[in-house]
Amino acid sequence: MRGSERWPTLFSGLKLGSVELPNRIVMPAMDVSLGDADGHPTPAMVRHYRDRAAGGVGLIVTGNIAVQSVGRLSPWMCLLSSDAHIEPFARVIRAVHEERGRIFLQLSHAGRQTVTQFAGAQPVSASAIACPVMRDPPRALLDHEVDDVADAFVDATVRAAEAGADGVEYHMAHGYLVCQFLSPYSNHREDRWGLNLEGRSRLAVEIVRRARSRMGPSFPLQVRLSADERVEGGITPPLALEIALCLAAAGATSFSVSACNYESYRFNMPAYYLPEATYTSLAAELRSGLRQAGFQTPVIAVGRFRRPEIAEAILARGDADLVAMGRALIADPDLPKHLLSGRPEAVRPCVACNRCAEAVTKGPVKCLINPEAGLDAPAALPVESARRILVVGGGPAGVTLAVEASRRGHHVRLVEREERLGGKAWASAAPPLKEAFGEYAAHLERMAHEAGVQVEHGVEFGVAEVRNATEEVIYLCTGGRGREPPEALNLASHPRVLRPQEALAEVHGEVDVLVLGGGPEGCEVADALAARGSKVRIVELRPKVGLGLPSSVRHLLVDRLKEAGVTVHVSRTLAPLPSAGEEVTLLDRKQNSADRVPYPDIIVLAIGVEREEHFDALEDDARVHRLGDARQPATILEAVAEGWRAGREVR
């Protein structure tokens, strides 16, 4: 059954101002860090949006573009502050239009949510109150400077239209400058730009009103709002509705209804610990209020949309007019095309890990399961002479390599000791609320079979089997092994020491568990066992637990540990284990006695992985290459990227 029959509302058209959309799927504004030092889009950005347009999305909204240089929040943020930026953006827009896509440019100003290093001057804001996260003290804009900001947004709107954009979106959410004016949390002014709702909304209203006057009645002027800042004294849903009514009256075409600011960032881009369609209720409340006031202004719901049946239900009952699928479209640019053709199983599933959000703070966007995200890589060329390739290990690195090499024309045999492919992806799916990793593991298996990879299950390969293999090129993607604890800890004397996956499979009920290691794996197993009724404590040598996870995910996981009553000992290490029944000593960094805790029923070793040393005997075999944990400990993102590169490069 085609998608238009299965999800009829999702694949129905809608008009935003003068722009006809073919479906209700929106790629919302997301930072991709694909601008250059001059604030111009790079070729990688052109490809990023072109690919999503080719994939059939109804509307693309770019990541935020600064209307003034002082509003730049990173060295990769694009600018539309002068006419010199028009043609570079025209290249992006032409690429989207060539694929019959529609694109809005999101216009923004960071305000206090940046630092002097990126802004090139002291940050500015509604009031001289520092952002609790960025901490760089801003200065309050003078009266005439606020007017200048409004004009800068309008001038950028004109430039966007001259570049060929189908519309613009004004970023008035997430704690950026216009949001700083809208919110009583950050606006303490006592002039015409503050004091009350009318004053705090004046900048936002002036931007829309002046732009509507310049652009005419039908050019789309979309507004992104935080309908709940999730901080004390910030914007609440009732206040957001009042703001939206003012903006609709001024000429706003549509609203993208989001939430949060930097202080509440962990909720802003809902990770797997938060439900799908997280902020639908905010969109529904604002939409209902607009309708009651006589405005038919379309509303976009945001917050971890990835399954079409959920999107369809929300649209069908009138909670929103469109749905945003941001990370899902980073994971699979062809998502709408797959759905429309009636093949949802072909979609590469987003796991909501937020590795993309973490990556853009350091450089171009990356995706755990889409190694091409953020790259301007040429299409993989078919091979001139097919080779016989052996891949040992069917985890994310091995499958990605095998699929890429097979698609190019090589003859690939993949051997896996387990009865299913996926490896670390299945392990990642075991802790609470991470089921999407299991969907990804199943997707890896489908890709391998569709690509024609010869898959052999239940096959154990050691050094001898690799040496005897007849293939011309061999890749070891066997993963690593659990790191061994120091013998001095005397853990051999404990009756039950388990690895994390063993603990998840075997431990249930009210037992006393000590998790040695508070990295991602240790925190996740502690979360799972606490949910089953165990009394859990974590011992971590570093000053924080969960390090190695994206910040938003780590904070959510730490919140879960607190709520579950997990005891956390940081900057501590385990002293040599005493006899059974005696208390256990935890030492601080200076090896002084710090804490004494009850002797645990179970110890879980979550101290990381290391490469399998027995494969070192193959270093003299020029055919053999190692990837992922078999080479050195790596995340799934790194392993997939390695596998993809190897599959493209093998000759």
Side-chain angles (χ1 to χ4, degrees):
M1 183 186 295
R2 286 186 59 81
S4 56
E5 299 170 341
R6 194 169 175 183
W7 307 292
T9 318
L10 185 63
F11 284 99
S12 62
L14 183 72
K15 196 170 184 180
L16 296 182
S18 59
V19 178
E20 293 276 359
L21 305 183
N23 59 58
R24 309 294 183 94
I25 302 173
V26 177
M27 182 175 191
M30 294 181 63
D31 284 339
V32 290
S33 292
L34 294 175
D36 65 20
D38 296 318
H40 296 158
T42 60
M45 181 184 286
V46 175
R47 182 190 172 186
H48 180 79
Y49 292 122
R50 182 199 67 212
D51 287 354
R52 274 78 195 165
V57 66
L59 173 66
I60 292 169
V61 185
T62 66
N64 52 7
I65 301 162
V67 299
Q68 292 181 326
S69 59
V70 73
R72 213 174 182 195
L73 59 85
S74 82
W76 308 284
M77 184 177 181
C78 288
L79 289 161
L80 201 53
S81 55
S82 78
D83 290 351
H85 298 108
I86 294 174
E87 178 52 31
F89 271 104
R91 290 194 286 271
V92 176
I93 295 163
R94 283 195 294 269
V96 169
H97 287 169
E98 285 168 4
E99 300 294 345
R100 304 181 68 183
R102 289 87 174 156
I103 183 168
F104 289 2
L105 304 189
Q106 189 194 61
L107 307 179
S108 182
H109 193 304
R112 69 179 189 168
Q113 289 186 171
T114 185
V115 292
T116 301
Q117 176 187 353
F118 301 149
Q122 183 182 10
V124 297
S125 185
S127 302
I129 304 169
C131 167
V133 175
M134 303 308 288
R135 299 182 183 178
D136 200 338
R139 66 175 183 84
L141 286 165
L142 301 176
D143 179 272
H144 74 275
E145 291 177 314
V146 184
D147 257 321
D148 292 343
V149 168
D151 286 338
F153 273 91
V154 177
D155 291 343
T157 303
V158 174
R159 294 185 189 108
E162 290 177 357
D166 298 295
V168 298
E169 178 178 274
Y170 297 128
H171 202 341
M172 300 183 178
H174 302 167
Y176 294 119
L177 182 62
V178 183
C179 185
Q180 290 159 31
F181 272 87
L182 289 170
S183 176
Y185 164 78
S186 46
N187 185 345
H188 296 183
R189 298 177 75 102
E190 296 183 355
D191 61 3
R192 66 186 181 122
W193 305 104
L195 286 176
N196 52 31
L197 172 66
E198 181 182 4
R200 291 193 302 269
S201 301
R202 191 181 305 279
L203 172 59
V205 169
E206 282 299 304
I207 290 170
V208 174
R209 184 187 64 77
R210 295 179 194 183
R212 180 58 68 212
S213 176
R214 290 277 295 276
M215 304 307 298
S218 60
F219 186 80
L221 305 176
Q222 184 162 287
V223 171
R224 190 163 217 198
L225 284 178
S226 279
D228 187 350
E229 281 192 280
R230 302 194 70 153
V231 294
E232 187 174 352
I235 295 171
T236 59
L239 179 55
L241 175 57
E242 292 187 76
I243 293 168
L245 291 171
C246 294
L247 294 171
T253 304
S254 48
F255 291 99
S256 178
V257 184
S258 190
C260 304
N261 59 33
Y262 273 17
E263 188 174 356
S264 54
Y265 173 74
R266 65 185 180 276
F267 302 111
N268 173 239
M269 189 178 286
Y272 40 72
Y273 291 122
L274 297 173
E276 290 187 48
T278 306
Y279 295 124
T280 298
S281 61
L282 297 179
E285 185 174 340
L286 191 137
R287 185 180 186 273
S288 175
L290 286 167
R291 297 297 182 275
Q292 291 174 23
F295 293 103
Q296 299 303 310
T297 318
V299 167
I300 304 170
V302 310
R304 198 188 167 205
F305 279 91
R306 65 187 193 95
R307 289 190 286 183
E309 57 269 26
I310 291 178
E312 174 67 24
I314 285 166
L315 294 171
R317 67 173 178 252
D319 286 349
D321 301 283
L322 305 101
V323 294
M325 293 185 173
R327 288 167 290 173
L329 283 161
I330 290 177
D332 191 343
D334 292 325
L335 180 153
K337 187 186 295 183
H338 291 317
L339 297 181
L340 187 59
S341 66
R343 297 187 64 238
E345 72 280 357
V347 174
R348 184 164 38 193
C350 171
V351 296
C353 64
N354 283 0
R355 292 289 177 186
C356 52
E358 176 191 45
V360 298
T361 64
K362 303 168 186 175
V365 66
K366 296 179 181 178
C367 177
L368 182 143
I369 62 175
N370 178 7
E372 295 188 61
L375 300 179
D376 183 31
L381 296 175
V383 296
E384 294 180 3
S385 178
R387 306 188 76 184
R388 291 178 298 110
I389 298 172
L390 172 66
V391 179
V392 182
V399 174
T400 302
L401 187 162
V403 167
E404 194 69 20
S406 183
R407 285 173 176 169
R408 293 179 54 229
H410 291 298
H411 305 298
V412 184
R413 179 167 68 115
L414 188 156
V415 296
E416 166 58 46
R417 64 186 175 190
E418 304 294 339
E419 292 305 314
R420 60 185 181 181
L421 302 180
K424 190 185 287 188
W426 284 116
S428 297
L433 302 177
K434 296 185 66 182
E435 298 87 354
F437 283 85
E439 295 177 26
Y440 170 52
H443 181 77
L444 288 172
E445 188 137 23
R446 280 194 299 272
M447 284 201 307
H449 290 297
E450 289 176 5
V453 177
Q454 178 188 338
V455 179
E456 299 175 10
H457 290 283
V459 178
E460 186 83 39
F461 258 62
V463 172
E465 289 79 8
V466 173
R467 286 199 187 280
N468 292 332
T470 60
E471 280 83 1
E472 301 159 85
V473 186
I474 301 172
Y475 289 96
L476 300 181
C477 307
T478 53
R481 63 185 178 90
R483 183 174 286 118
E484 294 298 329
E487 290 185 12
L489 291 183
N490 193 33
L491 295 187
S493 68
H494 195 282
R496 202 169 182 200
V497 178
L498 304 175
R499 297 290 179 177
Q501 290 305 306
E502 295 172 327
L504 289 170
E506 300 175 20
V507 179
H508 298 271
E510 299 179 8
V511 291
D512 198 328
V513 179
L514 187 150
V515 178
L516 189 59
E521 195 173 31
C523 288
E524 287 175 353
V525 73
D527 178 32
L529 300 186
R532 299 175 186 176
S534 295
K535 183 178 181 180
V536 184
R537 66 180 70 247
I538 297 173
V539 179
E540 168 57 41
L541 183 61
R542 294 173 295 181
K544 293 181 180 180
V545 295
L547 296 174
L549 288 168
S551 175
S552 58
V553 181
R554 188 182 77 82
H555 282 295
L556 290 172
L557 180 52
V558 169
D559 288 346
R560 288 178 59 83
L561 296 176
K562 290 178 182 176
E563 291 169 6
V566 174
T567 303
V568 175
H569 302 268
V570 294
S571 300
R572 300 287 187 271
T573 188
L574 188 66
L577 211 62
S579 303
E582 296 182 19
E583 288 184 322
V584 172
T585 300
L586 307 180
L587 302 174
D588 64 15
R589 288 176 174 271
K590 296 181 179 179
Q591 298 294 294
N592 298 318
S593 180
D595 300 315
R596 295 183 67 82
V597 300
Y599 192 90
D601 300 316
I602 296 169
I603 294 177
V604 179
L605 284 180
I607 54 176
V609 298
E610 55 192 8
R611 57 186 265 167
E612 290 278 11
E613 293 181 354
H614 66 266
F615 282 123
D616 291 350
L618 296 167
E619 288 184 354
D620 61 341
D621 192 332
R623 299 178 302 160
V624 177
H625 311 271
R626 296 193 193 192
L627 293 181
D629 286 346
R631 185 176 65 83
Q632 65 178 26
T635 64
I636 293 179
L637 185 152
E638 293 162 335
V640 168
E642 274 192 74
W644 178 77
R645 284 194 299 269
R648 288 172 68 94
E649 292 170 0
V650 62
R651 297 287 184 263

